Amino acid sequence: MKKIVVALTAVTFATSGLVGCANMNETQRDTGTGAAIGAIAGGLIGAATGGGNKGKSAAIGAAAGAALGAGGGYLWSKHMQEQKAAMEQATAGTGVGVSQTADNRLKLDIPSDISFDTGRYDVKPNMRPILDRFATTLNQNPVTTVTIIGHTDSTGSDAINNPLSINRASSVRDYLSARGVSASRIAVDGRGSREPVADNGTADGRAKNRRVEIFVAEAAPAR
């Protein structure tokens, strides 16, 4: 029990010191506060579930909780907020979802009526102006990184859907790269039909599931 208290106290004091830095902006202070809270919660969970070595489990849980509480190490900066506002303006009325995720990433959710036809991975014409504006915002904030994830509906087999979803993400990456965004900033992934957001039993649901999700992240500075 003493080891648990020591582990939690150490992590909590460390994160509390982070929160108290005078040169932090509000977002960074919130991140530090989340880290402290996450450390305590993670430590308690580790202690409760650690079996014979609860001190070690508490320490591991505290560290993991701190990372989660800090928002995954991402920073929601003024530039990120400006990029979100720019994309909200650029996509108004298009059906594209623009949001800030819980871990401080900017997310663009691009539905099939804008992104891709069934079984295809070429970028549709009405998606291009959105990607053009997106590329501009990325070039204005070069410290960010991008993750593009492609999805399909459940029509067809995994052997078809898995590479199709990756090809969709790759098409978006190639389009952005052609507009000056360094390919080294962009990671792509495909989830096939494994992560539906609607019922694949209806045409409307399948259309919603054929989509591309784009995440933009700015790494929090190391301390």
Side-chain angles (χ1 to χ4, degrees), residues 78-140:
K78 179 182 178 182
H79 290 300
M80 290 290 290
Q81 182 59 39
E82 290 172 347
Q83 186 169 3
K84 180 175 181 287
M87 291 313 303
E88 286 174 336
Q89 182 178 13
T91 60
T94 66
V96 174
V98 181
S99 60
Q100 177 185 355
T101 67
D103 62 351
N104 286 334
R105 292 186 294 172
L106 172 64
K107 179 183 179 183
L108 274 65
D109 199 342
I110 305 177
S112 66
D113 56 344
I114 297 173
S115 54
F116 301 101
D117 291 324
T118 303
R120 303 293 296 272
Y121 56 86
D122 48 311
V123 174
K124 293 171 70 172
N126 54 348
M127 186 180 179
R128 293 171 188 167
I130 295 171
L131 293 181
D132 289 341
R133 179 57 179 146
F134 183 51
T136 298
T137 66
L138 289 174
N139 288 326
Q140 291 171 343

Side-chain angles (χ1 to χ4, degrees), residues 27-52:
T27 300
Q28 289 170 315
R29 284 194 296 271
D30 289 346
T31 298
T33 301
I37 294 171
I40 296 170
L44 292 175
I45 293 170
T49 60

